[in-house]
Amino acid sequence: MRDKQPVVSTDESVTEASGELGGRLKGLSLRRQVIVLAIWPLLEFAMGSAVSFTDMAIAGGVTATPDLNTPILDAMSFGSYIAWLLFILQGAVATGTNALVSRAIGGRDELLAKQALGQSIVMGFFAGCFSCACLLIFGKALISFVGLSVEASKFAWEYIAILSLSSPLTGVMVAVNATLRGSGDTRTPFGITCVVNVVNIAFSLALVNWFDMGVAGIALGTVIGWGCGVVLALWKISSKRQSAKREEKRGVAVRLEWPNLRPNREVSMRVLRVGVPSAMEILGMWAINFMGLRFIEQLNVDGALGAHGVAIRIESFSYLPGFALGVAAQTLAGQYLGANNPEKSAKAVREAWKIGVVFMTSVGILFLVVPQLLVSTISRDNELILSLASPLIQLCGLTQPFFATCIVLKMSMRGAGASRLVMQTSYLSMVFYRLLGLYMVVHVFHGTLLHVWMVIALDLVTQAILFSRLHFSGKWMQAKV
């Protein structure tokens, strides 16, 4: 057992009143607490989506030859799923870290928060190395399984072989950002991510336009961006001066102390207790969605996979508010439970949920009104992609309230430590719709790409209903962290 050292609490870290929070959140209404925590993730995710959007646009302009433009977009769509795969293990570490740190901060245990930071950095790095090795070994098999064309397969491997090298870097940076968000500091992760994205775009454009590196240049730009981000993140979290500034401005005292990088079995197991079910859930989601790619390719429709990827990139702008508010709900749920105030934990989540539905529905209206304009920003003069992707964007517009519900409630439950409950509920719906349902649509009814997206929409509606019931049952607040 570790020696639990007492932590001196101040008005900047926690309030003296039991069940209340301190720092920047001290004395704020629940709505203002949600907004304070959500505003920086919103800007961060907006920039991330802009980078993803830019990467796709750069890829669309790599060549003016229509015969190569479509396979390049197909390859980039495949690459986006591979990028998701790289983040699964790191994301599991981040989920466990966020839950443990938010409980520790709410419970006034600063030592535990620092230990969680150290352990998560080590676990994130090794998780990234493992992900990188797996992708380099099995990447070509994944490409073959999806059934990409010969040209698209060549571009896809060129992209993911380089992109995989960023995985150990993302593992470290994601762990640092998760710790900061769990402690209530969402501004510092935004600043770090800004640097990553600016460097990414600058190098991607330079490598593609000046050095004619094609999709390899886009991937290498991403790796360079993450490398700069890791250096900045470690400096921010380990510098005494930087930590003192954060504590003064935002009431956050978590700092990396190098002895906490040594193995600590108890803390690591607490992180994994929450993180492993989350990893299993997200890995299952990835595998199910990866099967969805295969189903789409089996439609035997030219440009279907590229249109699918373009639609997802555009859709990503809609759930920016949802994920930002999910971060707020995740942090507040954990901190209020750590402060022994489950009633405020639930109320904070509902406040974030309500705001998320309003924002995402507003973006959904835009999708319904100008879908072709949005698609044309990526596909340019590709009429095939334009005709296939535009109806998908309109369907996205209709599902936004349900998508917002899924995002905010799932993230809040993970922040409370109920990742196993989230995993079980997600699987129940996704296996039915995204495996059985898509198989029936593609192989029995011989449907179209739009029909595939309709099945996915039904899955979102069902999950929204299931997670709403779980939230009001209160079962998620009983999780052990």
Side-chain angles (χ1 to χ4, degrees):
M1 295 289 288
R2 64 178 173 85
D3 295 327
K4 183 176 178 180
Q5 301 174 6
V7 177
V8 179
S9 62
T10 67
D11 283 344
E12 281 68 34
S13 58
V14 290
T15 61
E16 294 297 331
S18 176
E20 296 299 328
L21 306 182
R24 296 183 72 204
L25 306 178
K26 179 183 177 182
L28 300 181
S29 66
L30 285 176
R31 176 167 294 183
R32 291 189 65 189
Q33 287 180 347
V34 168
I35 293 173
V36 163
L37 291 174
I39 186 65
W40 295 110
L42 176 59
L43 297 174
E44 177 185 343
F45 297 151
M47 177 168 279
S49 286
V51 171
S52 178
F53 190 87
T54 302
D55 283 349
M56 203 71 167
I58 294 172
V62 166
T63 177
T65 306
D67 290 343
L68 289 180
N69 183 267
T70 297
I72 286 175
L73 290 176
D74 283 348
M76 290 296 292
S77 298
F78 174 83
S80 68
Y81 278 89
I82 294 300
W84 184 12
L85 175 63
L86 289 175
F87 274 99
I88 288 176
L89 293 180
Q90 296 97 308
V93 173
T95 299
T97 301
N98 185 283
L100 186 55
V101 170
S102 61
R103 289 282 187 111
I105 293 297
R108 311 181 186 188
D109 193 345
E110 185 181 310
L111 174 62
L112 176 59
K114 291 179 179 179
Q115 290 174 327
L117 167 63
Q119 297 306 295
S120 68
I121 287 176
V122 174
M123 288 190 290
F125 175 76
F126 283 109
C129 291
F130 180 77
S131 298
C132 176
C134 287
L135 189 56
L136 291 175
I137 294 171
F138 300 110
K140 289 186 177 180
L142 292 174
I143 294 172
S144 177
F145 178 79
V146 172
L148 295 175
S149 67
V150 174
E151 285 294 337
S153 296
K154 182 186 74 172
F155 290 126
W157 175 247
E158 188 178 1
Y159 180 76
I160 66 175
I162 297 174
L163 184 68
S164 64
L165 302 178
S166 68
S167 193
L169 304 174
T170 62
V172 173
M173 195 172 126
V174 165
V176 172
N177 285 351
T179 301
L180 291 169
R181 292 189 185 112
S183 69
D185 178 8
T186 56
R187 183 173 181 174
T188 302
F190 164 73
I192 295 170
T193 306
C194 279
V195 172
V196 172
N197 292 333
V198 169
V199 172
N200 181 355
I201 292 176
F203 273 89
S204 294
L205 285 169
L207 293 171
V208 170
N209 295 324
W210 296 348
F211 295 93
D212 198 25
M213 292 184 64
V215 295
I218 299 174
L220 185 57
T222 302
V223 175
I224 295 172
W226 282 112
C228 294
V230 166
V231 173
L232 180 59
L234 291 177
W235 174 66
K236 285 280 189 180
I237 203 71
S238 60
S239 166
K240 291 183 178 180
R241 182 178 178 183
Q242 291 296 314
S243 297
K245 286 182 178 179
R246 287 199 308 277
E247 185 174 2
E248 180 181 355
K249 292 180 180 179
R250 293 181 283 280
V252 179
V254 180
R255 182 170 64 89
L256 175 60
E257 296 173 350
W258 299 107
N260 287 327
L261 294 173
R262 291 196 294 263
N264 185 322
R265 185 177 183 276
E266 180 189 353
V267 175
S268 297
M269 291 304 296
R270 294 181 71 177
V271 170
L272 294 175
R273 182 185 298 149
V274 177
V276 168
S278 178
M280 293 176 64
E281 177 209 350
I282 298 172
L283 181 60
M285 289 173 61
W286 181 86
I288 290 170
N289 280 282
F290 194 75
M291 280 297 299
L293 286 185
R294 182 170 174 82
F295 287 136
I296 291 171
E297 194 65 22
Q298 289 171 345
L299 292 171
N300 293 320
V301 175
D302 288 342
L305 190 58
H308 175 75
V310 168
I312 287 176
R313 295 295 171 97
I314 294 172
E315 182 193 28
S316 68
F317 285 99
S318 73
Y319 49 70
L320 298 179
F323 275 112
L325 290 158
V327 169
Q330 188 177 40
T331 300
L332 291 172
Q335 287 201 14
Y336 273 119
L337 288 176
N340 296 315
N341 196 337
E343 181 180 357
K344 274 204 169 180
S345 179
K347 287 182 177 180
V349 172
R350 288 168 200 165
E351 189 66 35
W353 179 11
K354 179 172 62 178
I355 299 172
V357 168
V358 171
F359 271 92
M360 288 185 63
T361 301
S362 300
V363 178
I365 293 172
L366 181 66
F367 287 174
L368 289 169
V369 176
V370 289
Q372 291 185 330
L373 177 62
L374 297 172
V375 174
S376 64
T377 58
I378 293 181
S379 64
R380 302 191 183 182
D381 297 326
N382 195 322
E383 294 295 332
L384 176 62
I385 299 295
L386 184 65
S387 63
L388 289 172
S390 296
L392 308 184
I393 298 302
Q394 289 183 308
L395 181 60
C396 287
L398 297 174
T399 60
Q400 291 310 297
F402 305 101
F403 203 0
T405 297
C406 291
I407 292 172
V408 174
L409 295 190
K410 280 186 178 184
M411 292 183 69
S412 68
M413 291 177 190
R414 293 190 190 112
S419 54
R420 186 181 300 275
L421 186 62
V422 174
M423 174 191 70
Q424 294 168 343
T425 308
S426 296
Y427 276 177
L428 179 66
S429 179
M430 291 185 69
V431 168
F432 178 77
Y433 286 104
R434 302 199 185 204
L435 289 184
L436 179 60
L438 290 184
Y439 177 86
M440 296 291 291
V441 164
V442 174
H443 293 289
V444 177
F445 299 108
H446 305 291
T448 65
L449 180 61
L450 181 58
H451 293 136
V452 168
W453 274 60
M454 286 179 178
V455 173
I456 296 172
L458 287 174
D459 175 45
L460 288 176
V461 172
T462 302
Q463 287 198 51
I465 294 171
L466 293 174
F467 280 102
S468 297
R469 293 187 63 183
L470 277 177
H471 171 81
F472 286 106
S473 74
K475 187 177 180 181
W476 56 280
M477 290 187 286
Q478 300 169 10
K480 182 180 180 182
V481 177

